[in-house]
């Protein structure tokens, strides 16, 4: 373990460094916040301990800087008896815990090891989640991995497209993690999730007094992502009024905070994503053509899960291992019948839907292996109809008959041929179900 101790009292630095060495902890020391900033840029640390009151850059300001720059290591604030309220403020600003002078070194070590172990576990889990939707050996996934590797080494703007749940943010994070700015922050913002009247201030920040309630300066996402990657998720939801400003940023690599006059250079990799058809939006006039071409330098199209069914067994096996650990479950795998059903299911919710189905099956199964009867593969009839309408397709009699037949077969499989249960799920009478079985010549 490597830690950084920032305290202006030399005797504390010397004593704690000696104590840490007895615990096989490598400790660097800094006498003020400015020295700590320099050292943090030069070496990776597992944790940092910060004195609250220091000349120059104080502890609270250092913590704010830490989190704004994307440093995620655990941080312990060191405060005096009369500074408890400030320590509480530090917790709100991003510190993970605090100790009060004079403190017990052994207590500090316990806190430190606990925080670092928790952080390591979190990083491991997040690292595995990052790979969830990149698992697979299908030609489609191998192509995506190849494009990611090539895109990551350049500084080109990347546009990721695909349906909801296919893993657009996962791909964006993988580009970041393979890039030259991997040690910088990854800042995601969901354009569609921010009210339009707040979106500009979130992206560009604002100066004190820029509007009612702007009591101080706030850095926007472009600044927070400096030295790293800014991920603009659901870029297709961006209002036209803001599109021209984003275009200017991409062209000039500068931003101006709301209420400000200073042009601030930005140094962030831009990755955007959408589940919409931007080409069609350009034709409709709802998305600027010049912005589209600025974003669409490198294009990564993620296929839906139903188009790479051969990856489902690998994904399912990974998901069940991850969930078994999280849920302390004894479940180890699937029966061949369950895997076959998953491979034939049309996942309109993609990997997200697959994980939900597996998690539900793990909760309700009575076995250590998930069987076909444990899977809740609900009919995709209504979603398929929606898809056809979205594409302007006709809901002809043939397609409706096929969808109805598939729904009946799926329900009968789920209930192991029990026609009463299957008819209840389908919302039809048992007599009607028997009639449909004969009509479609369904053999079980």
């Amino acid at each position: 373990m490597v830690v950084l101790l920032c305290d202006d009292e030399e005797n504390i630095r010397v004593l704690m460094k000696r104590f840490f060495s007895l615990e096989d902890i490598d400790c660097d020391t800094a006498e003020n916040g400015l020295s700590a900033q320099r050292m943090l840029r030069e070496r990776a640390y597992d944790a940092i301990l910060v004195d609250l009151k220091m000349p120059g850059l104080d502890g609270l300001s250092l913590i704010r800087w830490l989190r704004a720059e994307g440093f995620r290591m655990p941080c312990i604030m060191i405060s005096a008896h009369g500074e408890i309220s400030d320590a509480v403020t530090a917790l709100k600003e991003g510190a993970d815990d605090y100790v009060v002078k004079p403190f017990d070194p052994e207590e500090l070590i316990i806190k430190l090891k606990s925080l670092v172990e928790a952080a390591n576990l979190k990083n491991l889990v997040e690292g595995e989640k990052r790979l969830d939707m990149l698992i697979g050996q299908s030609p489609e996934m191998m192509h995506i991995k190849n494009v990611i590797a090539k895109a990551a080494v350049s500084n080109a703007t990347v546009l990721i497209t695909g349906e909801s749940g296919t893993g657009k943010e996962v791909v964006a994070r993988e580009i970041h993690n393979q890039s030259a700015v991997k040690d910088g922050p990854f800042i995601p913002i969901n354009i569609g999730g921010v009210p339009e009247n707040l979106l500009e201030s979130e992206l560009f920040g604002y100066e004190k007094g820029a509007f009612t309630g702007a009591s101080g300066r706030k850095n926007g996402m472009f600044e927070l992502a400096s030295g790293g990657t800014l991920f603009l998720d659901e870029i297709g939801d961006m209002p036209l009024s803001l599109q021209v400003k984003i275009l200017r940023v991409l062209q000039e690599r500068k931003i101006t905070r709301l209420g400000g006059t200073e042009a601030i250079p930005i140094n962030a990799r831009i990755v955007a994503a959408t589940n919409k058809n931007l080409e069609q939006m350009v034709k409709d006039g709802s998305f600027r053509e010049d912005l589209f071409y600025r974003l669409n330098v490198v294009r990564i199209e993620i296929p839906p899960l139903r188009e790479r069914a051969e990856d489902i067994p690998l994904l399912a096996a990974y998901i069940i291992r991850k969930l078994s650990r999280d849920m302390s479950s004894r479940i180890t795998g699937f029966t061949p019948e369950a895997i076959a059903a998953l491979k034939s299911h049309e996942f309109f919710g993609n990997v997200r839907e697959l994980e939900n189905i597996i998690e539900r099956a793990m909760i309700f199964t009575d076995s250590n292996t998930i069987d076909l009867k444990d899977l809740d593969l609900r009919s995709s009839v209504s979603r398929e109809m929606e898809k056809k309408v979205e594409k302007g397709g006709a809901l002809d009699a043939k397609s409706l008959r096929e969808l109805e037949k598939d729904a009946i077969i799926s329900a009968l499989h789920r209930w192991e041929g029990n026609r009463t249960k299957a008819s209840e799920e389908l919302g039809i009478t048992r007599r009607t179900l028997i009639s449909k079985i004969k009509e479609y010549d369904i053999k079980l």
Side-chain angles (χ1 to χ4, degrees), residues 62-75 93-96 224:
L62 177 59
I63 290 175
R64 290 189 182 117
W65 176 85
L66 273 171
R67 298 319 185 201
E69 289 294 312
F71 290 97
R72 301 172 60 189
M73 79 283 283
C75 175
E93 294 289 345
D96 298 282
L224 294 177

Side-chain angles (χ1 to χ4, degrees), residues 100-307:
V100 179
K101 294 179 180 178
F103 54 82
D104 180 353
E106 291 185 354
E107 178 189 347
L108 177 60
I109 292 291
I110 291 171
K111 285 179 180 286
L112 186 63
K113 288 183 175 179
S114 176
L115 287 171
V116 171
E117 288 174 2
N120 289 340
L121 178 60
K122 180 180 178 183
N123 290 337
L124 175 64
V125 172
E126 288 182 351
E128 290 184 350
K129 286 182 177 178
R130 176 173 61 83
L131 297 174
D132 278 3
M133 300 176 195
L134 293 181
I135 290 173
Q137 297 298 320
S138 64
E140 294 86 355
M141 284 307 299
M142 297 306 294
H143 173 70
I144 287 175
K145 293 175 185 179
N146 183 47
V147 175
I148 287 173
K150 291 180 178 178
V153 298
S154 76
N155 196 38
T157 303
V158 179
L159 177 63
I160 305 168
T161 59
E163 295 178 4
S164 295
T166 50
K168 295 185 287 296
E169 182 171 344
V170 175
V171 170
R173 286 184 182 274
E174 188 62 18
I175 292 171
H176 171 78
N177 290 328
Q178 292 187 30
S179 73
V181 297
K182 63 183 180 182
D183 294 326
F186 178 88
I187 305 294
I189 178 171
N190 188 313
I191 302 298
V194 180
E196 186 173 336
N197 62 327
L198 299 178
L199 186 55
E200 186 172 1
S201 64
E202 285 294 312
L203 288 169
F204 299 105
Y206 55 78
E207 298 287 354
K208 181 179 180 179
F211 50 82
T212 302
S215 57
R217 172 186 291 178
K218 177 185 176 181
N219 292 341
M221 297 292 190
F222 279 104
E223 287 182 86
L224 294 177
S226 180
T229 301
L230 176 62
F231 177 50
L232 302 173
D233 197 9
E234 302 307 343
I235 191 73
D237 292 333
M238 179 165 287
L240 277 168
S241 59
L242 262 183
Q243 289 179 25
V244 65
K245 296 183 179 181
I246 298 296
L247 175 64
R248 189 176 300 119
V249 172
L250 295 178
Q251 291 173 334
E252 301 175 2
R253 306 298 295 181
K254 294 179 180 178
I255 61 105
T256 302
R257 300 189 192 104
L258 290 179
T261 57
E262 178 187 1
I264 303 168
I266 64 159
N267 178 30
R269 172 78 178 270
I270 307 298
V271 178
T274 183
N275 60 5
K276 295 186 176 180
N277 186 332
L278 291 189
E279 288 90 343
Q280 186 58 49
M281 292 180 68
V282 168
K283 292 179 183 179
D284 297 341
S286 56
F287 200 86
R288 292 181 63 98
E289 183 176 21
D290 44 8
L291 176 58
F292 170 72
Y293 286 118
R294 279 282 176 180
L295 294 170
N296 194 37
V297 179
V298 176
R299 181 77 162 263
I300 299 179
E301 297 186 19
I302 308 177
L305 187 56
R306 59 186 172 278
E307 292 181 8

